[in-house]
Structures are given as structure tokens and as C-alpha cells.
């Protein structure tokens, strides 16, 4: 007889062979081309990551954008902007599409280029030559011209904020033909040519007069235009009361410095706006942006404002799914997760790290799902005590304080197996670059091996891997019980809810993108 120690029957199904190496050189599973593009579309920021420079990230994006059909490329660009709330990535995908399929490019343009900042980013990307052409070409030029001609006066004023390129640069580049004397005057003012001031928009005329005299009401123009003026505390208070949710969130310390919060009614107004559910939804804010505001708010900002930020966070994550059965969430707190979400860019580096996002997701799940267990990990599972009754931000800060070492994605599953646990849903939030548990030879990854052990105890168990860095590999191959999904927006929670309830399969995320009509 053959050696039983070698040829004994294996328990459970055979693990699929790893198909790739991750950024650390350890075994992993590669995504399909469509999934790879979907993942990078909602996580890529071109700021550089722990394992990847900005140029390497761009080259990877261009490779996966070329690998898919033009229709899916158009759908991914639209999804990245409308559901992923991304800024630079949709413009890059649209620029590639302009070269690959001008017809689909025209169909997608207006759904991606929703404002002047996106327009300027798109022109910047094209002119860089990184996507295969340095001139706009006929189709892109026509679409940019049409946007400039048909945009509202207010949209053009907002578009006029920023440089490299400025809106004036764009106008000089494409030479739009204005349909009215008023639009001709506005274009002339933007590019710095003499114009008939009486034909400028009323709000712009008010701003010019206010700039010269300092008298009258605060003009209804973009906030950045007002900061150029010499304003009184009363003026700043009016700005705060008229500001959008996003603008107010970003300028709490500015308002404090200018005396806005010395008046109680101003504090009440701003606090009410920050916790307004409709305003939060309209702002399409990432929950982690509230974390930024709470972390960076000055110590002398009134407590009511800080409390409003905590309330806003609770509202922002209301669509975290409530799952029947036992839920375990595993935030990755290893060294590679300490990298900034937006990468490192001079003057534009986010204070929020991938670790903060993972912690925020974990704390949110714990708030919604009674009895949810949180198992943060790096080399192994880290010991942390969370109080379910504490605010989401408070618990997220406790988790994020666990700055870790190496990545071991199998550690939480091994921890559960050692204790004979078999939860119904396990959610990982990680960059998926596990290496501590790298298997030398044999089949699959250590994470998938440990998951199979859990599945033997609970055949209905499901695993969700939220990928928040676009490296293109996972430690658990997509299949009927494993969902790989990426991104920072609350759309991720919708995907998890549908998967956990059995309404959708593991390919649902890519399938949702493919449903977009172009």
C-alpha cells in the first residue's frame, strides 16, 4: 500500500492554484480584466501607494483600460464618477476611451464631466500625452466646446477656480463660439481681455463692485472668490450660513478663526447643516471625509460642531447592511495600510490612511450589527476592546491607533478556526498584500485554506473582501461564497448587503457596471 501520510484523503475541496504574485511576491489570485478595471476605477488616485509609484499605477491603469472592451471602459468611467465619487480616475478612463471609441466617448462624456473641475482635469490628462495623444482631437474638442457654451454662468465661475490648466487656458485652447453677447463677455473676462462689464452675470458684477468698495451684501459667488476679499466677521458669518454642506465641512477652522462661531445662532446653523441627512446625501461625501473633519477640527471649535460631525458620521453609514447571524469584520492594520488614501502629493496629501478607512468600516459594521466581532490584524490578530455604544468615530480611532507590521490575511480566519467559530459573514478590509502566511508550494493561499475550514463547519458562510488599494490581486478567489469588491463610497455597502442576503452572486459588482446604459 502507498504511504498513508502522503496519500490520505483530503478533507474538503481542492484549493485552486494561485494564479499570480502580489506586490510582495507572495501567492495570490489575479482578477479578471473587467474586475481589475472596476477595482482600479474606484480606488486609484495616482498619488502613489506603499508598493507602487504614481507612474507605475498609471501604467497599470492604462494596461487594464486597454484590455477590456470599449463599452465596459465607458461603463467603468461612468460608474467611477457617479457611484464611486472619484475625481481623477474617471477623466483618465474617459481620455483612453476618446482614442479607442469616439462614439462611446461622446455618449459617456456628459455623465463623467459633471463640473468644470472635471473638465479641466480631462483636458490636463489628454494634453499630458500619457493616454496616447497630446492634442484633444476632433471629438474631445467638440465636447469641451459644447460644455463651455452650454454650462451655466455659475458653473463657469466655479470652473474658473484652479490652474494647470486654468479655465482661461482651456478656452484659449478650444476657442468656443459663444451663442450670446453675455457669454462672449464672460469668456473675455475669464481670459483677461477687455469686455463690456454690463454684460457680465449679475453676481459677477456684484463681486467686482464689492471688491472695489467693500460695501453691500456678500456676492453669491464661489467661496474661493470671496476669500480674495477683505471681509469682516459679519461677512464670514453670511458665507457660513449660505455655504454648501461640503464647503462648510472643509472650512470649520477658517470660520472659527474669523469669529463666526462667536455668535450662537451661527453655531446652531452650522451644526444643523452638518447633521442634515439630505445635505449629507447631496454632498456625495465619503464617510472618511467626516473623519478628516473631526480629526483636524481646531481645539477651540465649539463642542456642538464636533458633536454634529459625530452625528453626521452616524447618518453617513446608515446603509451599512444589517446581516442575520454572526458577523466578523477584519480590518487590516499592517504597515502598508498606513499609506495615505490619496497617496503622497505635495500640498494635497490626505490625512486619512487606508488603515483609517478599514477602521471606519469595522466600527460602522459593529454599530449596525449587534454582536459583531472586530478582529484587527497584521502579523496576527491584535487585541483591542471596542465599546459598541461609543460613536463610530471613537471606535475607528481606537482601531486606527494599532499601527502594525506585516500583513497576514489568514490570521483572523485561523483565530476563528482555533476557537471552533463559524460566522455567517466575514468582511475583510485590506490591500490584500498578504505575505507573512505565504505558502511555499502546494495549492492556493493560506487565507483560502483557512476559509475552507470555516466552510466545513458552516457551508452557508460568506466572505467579502473589500479592496481599498488597486494592486490587482486578492487572497481569496471570487466564487459563489467569496465577493471581492473595491472602493471607498457607500455603494460598497449596497453590494455587500445584496451578496450577504443571497440576492446576488459574486460577479454582481462587475454586473452592475455592465448594466449601465451607454
Amino acid at each position: 500500500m502507498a504511504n498513508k501520510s502522503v496519500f490520505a484523503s483530503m478533507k474538503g475541496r481542492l484549493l485552486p492554484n494561485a494564479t499570480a504574485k502580489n506586490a510582495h511576491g507572495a501567492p495570490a489570485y489575479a482578477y479578471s480584466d473587467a474586475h481589475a478595471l472596476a477595482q482600479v476605477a474606484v480606488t486609484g488616485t495616482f498619488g502613489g501607494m506603499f508598493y507602487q509609484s504614481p507612474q507605475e499605477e498609471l501604467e497599470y491603469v492604462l494596461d487594464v483600460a486597454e484590455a477590456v472592451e470599449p463599452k465596459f471602459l465607458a461603463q467603468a468611467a461612468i460608474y467611477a464618477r457617479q457611484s464611486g465619487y472619484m475625481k481623477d480616475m474617471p477623466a483618465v478612463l474617459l481620455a483612453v476611451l476618446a482614442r479607442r471609441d469616439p462614439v462611446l466617448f461622446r455618449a459617456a462624456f456628459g455623465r463623467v464631466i459633471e463640473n468644470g473641475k472635471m473638465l479641466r482635469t480631462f483636458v490636463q490628462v489628454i494634453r499630458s500625452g500619457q493616454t496616447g495623444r497630446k492634442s484633444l482631437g476632433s471629438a474631445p474638442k467638440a465636447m469641451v466646446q459644447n460644455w463651455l457654451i452650454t454650462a451655466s454662468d455659475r458653473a463657469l465661475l466655479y470652473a474658473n477656480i484652479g490652474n494647470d490648466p486654468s479655465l482661461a487656458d482651456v478656452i484659449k485652447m478650444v476657442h468656443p463660439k459663444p451663442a450670446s453677447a453675455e457669454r462672449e463677455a464672460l469668456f473675455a473676462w475669464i481670459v483677461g481681455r477687455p469686455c463690456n462689464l454690463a454684460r457680465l452675470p449679475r453676481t459677477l458684477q456684484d463681486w467686482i463692485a464689492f471688491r472695489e468698495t467693500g460695501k453691500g451684501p456678500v456676492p453669491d459667488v464661489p467661496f474661493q472668490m470671496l476669500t480674495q476679499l477683505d471681509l469682516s466677521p459679519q461677512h464670514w458669518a453670511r458665507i457660513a450660513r449660505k455655504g454648501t454642506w461640503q464647503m462648510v465641512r472643509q472650512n470649520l477652522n477658517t470660520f472659527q478663526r474669523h469669529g463666526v462661531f462667536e455668535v450662537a445662532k451661527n453655531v446652531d446653523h452650522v451644526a444643523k447643516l452638518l447633521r442634515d441627512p439630505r445635505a449629507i446625501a447631496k454632498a456625495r461625501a465619503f464617510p472618511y471625509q467626516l473623519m478628516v473633519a473631526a480629526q483636524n477640527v481646531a481645539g477651540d471649535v465649539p463642542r456642538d460642531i464636533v458633536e454634529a460631525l459625530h452625528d453626521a458620521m452616524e447618518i453617513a453609514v446608515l446603509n451599512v447592511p444589517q446581516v442575520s447571524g454572526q458577523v466578523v469584520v477584519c480590518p487590516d492594520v499592517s504597515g502598508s495600510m498606513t499609506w495615505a488614501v490619496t497617496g503622497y502629493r505635495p500640498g494635497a496629501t490626505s490625512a486619512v490612511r487606508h488603515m483609517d478607512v478599514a477602521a471606519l468600516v469595522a466600527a460602522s459594521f459593529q454599530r449596525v450589527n449587534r454582536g459583531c466581532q472586530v478582529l484587527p490584524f497584521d502579523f496576527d490578530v491584535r487585541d483591542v476592546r471596542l465599546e459598541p455604544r461609543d460613536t463610530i468615530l471613537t471606535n475607528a480611532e481606537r482601531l486606527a491607533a494599532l499601527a502594525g507590521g506585516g500583513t497576514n490575511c489568514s490570521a483572523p480566519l485561523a483565530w476563528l478556526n482555533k476557537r471552533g467559530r463559524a460566522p455567517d459573514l466575514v468582511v475583510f478590509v485590506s490591500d490584500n498584500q498578504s505575505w507573512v502566511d505565504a505558502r511555499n508550494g502546494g495549492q492556493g493561499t493560506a487565507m483560502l485554506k483557512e476559509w475552507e475550514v470555516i466552510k466545513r463547519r458552516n457551508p452557508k458562510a460568506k466572505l467579502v473582501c473589500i479592496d481599498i488599494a488597486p494592486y490587482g490581486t486578492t487572497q481569496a478567489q471570487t466564487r459563489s461564497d467569496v465577493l471581492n469588491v473595491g472602493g471607498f463610497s457607500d455603494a460598497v455597502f449596497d453590494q455587500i448587503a445584496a451578496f450577504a442576503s443571497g440576492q446576488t452572486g459574486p460577479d454582481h459588482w462587475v454586473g452592475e457596471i455592465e448594466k449601465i446604459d451607454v
Side-chain angles (χ1 to χ4, degrees):
M1 297 291 291
N3 187 336
K4 289 186 177 181
S5 66
V6 176
F7 295 101
S9 297
M10 293 181 64
K11 295 181 180 180
R13 57 181 146 186
L14 291 172
L15 295 180
N17 288 319
T19 58
K21 297 286 187 181
N22 64 20
H24 215 287
Y29 297 101
Y31 294 131
S32 68
D33 291 337
H35 192 116
L37 181 64
Q39 186 228 17
V40 76
V42 295
T43 58
T45 61
F46 304 109
M49 297 179 293
F50 190 85
Y51 293 107
Q52 204 173 59
S53 70
Q55 186 61 37
E56 288 171 335
E57 181 182 353
L58 175 59
E59 291 171 0
Y60 172 66
V61 170
L62 297 178
D63 286 343
V64 295
E66 294 288 348
V68 301
E69 292 296 320
K71 182 178 180 181
F72 188 77
L73 177 58
Q75 292 165 326
I78 294 169
Y79 183 89
R81 180 60 189 154
Q82 295 189 347
S83 297
Y85 309 158
M86 301 299 284
K87 298 175 182 177
D88 296 344
M89 183 61 69
V92 172
L93 299 183
L94 191 66
V96 176
L97 182 64
R99 176 176 49 77
R100 293 193 61 193
D101 194 317
V103 174
L104 284 172
F105 162 76
R106 290 187 181 93
F109 185 89
R111 299 163 69 182
V112 174
I113 307 303
E114 297 179 316
N115 56 50
K117 185 175 182 180
M118 287 295 297
L119 183 81
R120 291 190 293 105
T121 299
F122 171 73
V123 172
Q124 177 191 10
V125 169
I126 289 280
R127 296 285 290 175
S128 73
Q130 294 277 16
T131 59
R133 63 197 303 175
K134 294 200 71 171
S135 63
L136 286 177
S138 58
K141 182 177 180 180
M143 297 306 293
V144 172
Q145 287 174 332
N146 184 66
W147 192 95
L148 293 169
I149 292 168
T150 59
S152 68
D153 293 339
R154 188 169 187 82
L156 286 171
L157 290 180
Y158 273 98
N160 197 39
I161 306 298
N163 296 294
D164 301 322
S166 66
L167 186 61
D169 295 330
V170 176
I171 292 173
K172 293 175 184 177
M173 193 181 304
V174 301
H175 304 292
K177 298 188 183 309
S180 67
E182 288 75 16
R183 183 51 55 95
E184 181 179 10
L186 181 54
F187 284 163
W189 181 83
I190 291 172
V191 301
R193 294 199 308 262
C195 65
N196 185 344
L197 297 182
R199 293 192 180 278
L200 293 177
R202 181 77 257 171
T203 55
L204 185 53
Q205 293 184 46
D206 292 342
W207 178 82
I208 293 172
F210 188 93
R211 181 183 60 181
E212 294 175 352
T213 66
K215 298 179 180 179
V218 177
D220 185 19
V221 295
F223 172 74
Q224 294 88 337
M225 294 177 67
L226 296 174
T227 59
Q228 305 171 23
L229 310 177
D230 185 17
L231 302 174
S232 68
Q234 292 74 27
H235 289 141
W236 280 105
R238 289 177 205 158
I239 293 171
R241 289 197 296 269
K242 289 183 178 181
T244 63
W245 185 92
Q246 197 71 277
M247 184 275 276
V248 169
R249 175 193 69 83
Q250 293 171 330
N251 291 280
L252 294 174
N253 291 340
T254 300
F255 294 146
Q256 174 67 14
R257 287 196 305 272
H258 289 91
V260 172
F261 297 140
E262 293 177 7
V263 179
K265 67 178 182 180
N266 295 336
V267 174
D268 293 341
H269 172 85
V270 169
K272 183 179 179 181
L273 175 65
L274 289 174
R275 57 168 62 98
D276 182 349
R278 289 177 297 179
I280 293 170
K282 184 178 179 181
R284 300 201 299 182
F286 289 132
Y288 77 71
Q289 290 175 323
L290 286 161
M291 177 182 280
V292 172
Q295 289 174 340
N296 295 336
V297 71
D300 54 351
V301 168
R303 187 64 198 172
D304 285 351
I305 301 295
V306 178
E307 293 293 336
L309 289 171
H310 282 264
D311 292 342
M313 175 60 71
E314 304 288 334
I315 294 168
V317 297
L318 282 179
N319 64 340
V320 171
Q322 187 170 4
V323 181
S324 60
Q326 179 63 42
V327 179
V328 175
V329 184
C330 309
D332 182 350
V333 295
S334 65
S336 61
M337 294 286 285
T338 61
W339 211 252
V341 167
T342 58
Y344 287 90
R345 294 182 287 185
T349 297
S350 171
V352 178
R353 306 163 296 172
H354 287 104
M355 182 185 297
D356 296 313
V357 176
L360 191 57
V361 172
S364 301
F365 263 93
Q366 187 185 53
R367 169 54 56 85
V368 174
N369 292 277
R370 184 181 297 273
C372 171
Q373 184 163 17
V374 177
L375 299 178
F377 69 95
D378 47 27
F379 283 110
D380 208 335
V381 172
R382 300 287 300 275
D383 185 27
V384 63
R385 188 177 187 84
L386 302 180
E387 295 296 333
R389 292 183 178 274
D390 283 345
T391 67
I392 290 173
L393 282 173
T394 299
N395 279 332
E397 288 170 355
R398 288 195 183 108
L399 287 169
L402 301 172
T407 309
N408 184 356
C409 287
S410 65
L413 301 181
W415 188 95
L416 292 170
N417 283 326
K418 185 177 181 180
R419 290 158 179 78
R421 300 270 302 281
D424 299 284
L425 176 68
V426 179
V427 179
F428 273 74
V429 194
S430 173
D431 62 6
N432 279 312
Q433 302 309 296
S434 190
W435 60 272
V436 174
D437 55 355
R439 293 160 61 85
N440 295 320
Q443 292 179 317
T445 61
M447 180 179 180
L448 200 54
K449 179 184 177 183
E450 295 290 347
W451 177 244
E452 285 293 352
V453 178
I454 288 176
K455 288 288 291 184
R456 290 202 291 271
R457 289 196 301 275
N458 182 3
K460 295 183 179 180
K462 292 188 175 181
L463 174 64
V464 174
C465 301
I466 303 176
D467 200 340
I468 55 178
Y471 292 117
T473 63
T474 179
Q475 289 293 294
Q477 191 177 51
T478 297
R479 61 188 201 187
S480 62
D481 59 329
V482 179
L483 171 69
N484 283 286
V485 63
F488 310 108
S489 77
D490 53 10
V492 172
F493 294 142
D494 296 334
Q495 303 291 339
I496 295 173
F499 181 70
S501 64
Q503 298 175 27
T504 62
D507 296 324
H508 176 64
W509 183 36
V510 172
E512 284 296 297
I513 298 174
E514 291 175 331
K515 289 179 183 177
I516 294 174
D517 183 18
V518 289

